[in-house]
Amino acid sequence: MLDLAFVRANLPLVQEKLALRSPEAAALLSGFAELDSERRAAITEVETLKAQRNALSAQFGQLKREGKDITAVQQQSNSLKDRIAELEAVAVAADDKLRGLLQAVPNLPVDSVPAGKDEHDNQIIKTWGEPVELPNAKPHWELGEALGILDFERAAKISGSRFVVHYGSGARLERALANFMIDLHTREHGYVEVLPPNMVNSKSLFGTGQLPKFAEDLFHCDDEGAFTGELKDSDHWLIPTAEVPVTNLFRDETIDLSGGNISFCAYTPCYRAEAGSHGRDVRGMIRQHQFQKVELVKFVAPETSEAEHEALTSHAEAVLEKLGLPYRRMLLCSGDMGFSSAKTYDLEVWLPGQQTYREISSCSNFESFQARRANIRFKPAGTNKSEFVHTLNGSGLAVGRTYLAILENYQQPDGSVRVPEALVPYMGGETVITPQRFGKAI
């Protein structure tokens, strides 16, 4: 959430920045100036009336000492008291409405974010590796089903569309990838592993920016009935990403950064209703209702967040490089960034079976936006005054998309799939995935 005082003092700049995202975003604050004017007018009148009441109090005391009639002065004072209470209520209500407006307003893009409407305006910052050109390359869903390691048909039977069952070496590959990523981030990149709950309450989802705007993209448990808009401690939602529970570990806390930034990595399942996807990517594992992901989350001092964003992104890139998967880093334009982000890099992996790059990680700097919503603070060295931390997160990586990238990039002419060298120890020495008696072969 944006700082109310900053918006109040810099409304034209804020609207200009929001217009870079979209006309709709800029319009969200269309009523801000009027509400703020109403609030200011009420406060100004309150101060004037309080001065008048103080003068009456002095007059009241003087009349009482002189034994004169105080009825008229007392009535006037009571009238002022009632009017002051009314105006203070107006000011509080206007202030609440202003904060309510801000809850729906996305973060402001930093100056280095390019202006643009959608993914076509994103900028290529870096490429790594040569895209594999394979004759007769197959997409991962054909490879996985032919190998007997992926089963979309039975998954649809037991759960519905956009689910998959993994068998044999395929299930082992998923587990191997998660272990490889966690080991890399904890042993070489300095992250602390954390295993959070897979369900959170609505206050947690508000803190990271999913609620109330994106409720339809989430799975809400019906333990307390439908979501009414009230933020509770006791309702439950399936997490869309480990970013939510890990960031909210410190909700309503003042944390200690004197020993350095705090960096966590977490491996969890993720659940997304994909209500706004409108039938995109229905084939294969690109856009699933349930998938596994290793998430990187950082809590940092404001002056270090830009450098930490670069570092976090490089940590996600290291996974792709060690697996030998060609990728490119994209700087998202203002119109393609997520709601809470101030700056985002997407990593896109090459998929020869589809002859395209696809997103495999999104690494974002939220600055103080999430911390303000979740009330996460720290005290800078040498001061007793707390301020909001900066939060960052990124996929390090999405396990399912890394899985399918391996199938497509390491496929062999005979339909088998080589195991990347870095994963062989995690696969029990298995170097090639060959057809197995699972899936459609059963």
Side-chain angles (χ1 to χ4, degrees), residues 200-212:
V200 294
N201 54 38
S202 53
K203 285 188 176 180
S204 295
L205 286 159
F206 175 82
T208 43
Q210 284 81 12
L211 286 181

Side-chain angles (χ1 to χ4, degrees), residues 151-164 288-289:
D151 193 337
F152 296 98
E153 186 175 328
R154 289 191 177 95
K157 177 175 65 176
I158 61 177
S159 298
S161 62
R162 298 196 178 187
F163 291 91
V164 65
Q288 299 245 288
H289 288 314

Side-chain angles (χ1 to χ4, degrees), residues 345-378:
Y345 291 120
D346 271 5
L347 304 183
E348 297 180 344
V349 68
W350 173 250
L351 300 179
Q354 300 170 57
Q355 287 292 295
T356 190
Y357 284 96
R358 299 302 298 263
E359 178 198 337
I360 197 169
S361 174
S362 188
C363 302
S364 298
N365 185 353
F366 304 108
E367 296 194 329
S368 61
F369 189 85
Q370 289 183 329
R372 186 169 283 106
R373 294 173 74 96
N375 190 29
I376 306 172
R377 298 171 178 267
F378 80 110

Side-chain angles (χ1 to χ4, degrees), residues 25 47 89 109 176 192 204 226 237 281 292-294 305 356 379 427 431:
E47 296 304 317
V192 174
S204 295
W237 304 70
D281 305 318
Q292 283 63 245
K293 184 154 63 82
V294 172
S305 69
T356 190
K379 290 182 179 179
M427 291 288 289
T431 59

Side-chain angles (χ1 to χ4, degrees), residues 315 317-318 333:
H315 297 155
E317 290 174 336
C333 71

Side-chain angles (χ1 to χ4, degrees), residues 133-172:
E133 298 290 345
L134 299 173
N136 304 313
K138 295 181 179 179
H140 65 276
W141 56 85
E142 292 183 14
L143 289 163
E145 288 186 329
L147 287 169
I149 61 174
L150 295 180
D151 193 337
F152 296 98
E153 186 175 328
R154 289 191 177 95
K157 177 175 65 176
I158 61 177
S159 298
S161 62
R162 298 196 178 187
F163 291 91
V164 65
V165 175
H166 299 267
Y167 297 108
S169 295
R172 190 172 197 174

Side-chain angles (χ1 to χ4, degrees), residues 423-442:
L423 288 182
V424 171
Y426 294 90
M427 291 288 289
E430 187 175 359
T431 59
V432 180
I433 299 175
T434 55
Q436 302 170 21
R437 185 182 168 272
F438 300 113
K440 290 185 176 180
I442 296 178

